[in-house]
Amino acid sequence: MAAALLVASGPAGASTLNEDLRCLVVTATIVGDGKGEGKENLVSGVLYFVGMIDGKAPGIDLKTEMQKVSAAMTQTDFARDAQRCGDVLVAKGQELQAIGQALEQGK
């Protein structure tokens, strides 16, 4: 069942469970290594991807699935996913910032 969940995809543009797991591995690794500019901001990224994963696969064994994903990732994969996942977090942050500004303006 877990394998089926890993390849499941949603609407166009939506991330798959596997993509979210890869982002969780990347963000958690960067936060955990104690290095990297802006790592404090990535703590919220870890929580974002945990929420995305939980929404797609409630009750998933995060530790086991993260270990599987991490073991399969190359350094090239990690770098590519770091860029992709960072872009996701920046876009979501901009979206939330725009919503906050609209709420402040009473719209």
Side-chain angles (χ1 to χ4, degrees):
M1 179 172 184
L5 290 172
L6 290 176
V7 295
S9 63
S15 61
T16 65
L17 179 59
N18 189 55
E19 289 170 330
D20 291 339
L21 282 164
R22 291 170 73 95
C23 287
L24 180 57
V25 167
V26 167
T27 54
T29 300
I30 294 169
V31 168
D33 76 6
K35 302 174 187 171
E37 184 177 321
K39 79 172 190 102
E40 299 84 17
N41 296 332
L42 287 180
V43 172
S44 60
V46 168
L47 295 175
Y48 173 79
F49 290 115
V50 167
M52 293 294 289
I53 293 164
D54 192 49
K56 292 174 180 147
I60 190 171
D61 181 347
L62 276 178
K63 179 180 177 184
T64 299
E65 295 305 321
M66 287 177 70
Q67 288 172 331
K68 288 179 192 175
V69 167
S70 180
M73 290 177 79
T74 66
Q75 288 182 345
T76 302
D77 293 334
F78 190 93
R80 187 179 319 114
D81 284 327
Q83 181 64 51
R84 179 182 60 80
C85 302
D87 291 347
V88 168
L89 294 174
V90 167
K92 187 54 69 176
Q94 290 171 343
E95 178 184 352
L96 291 173
Q97 193 171 34
I99 291 169
Q101 289 171 348
L103 290 172
E104 283 180 7
Q105 297 171 2
K107 295 181 180 181

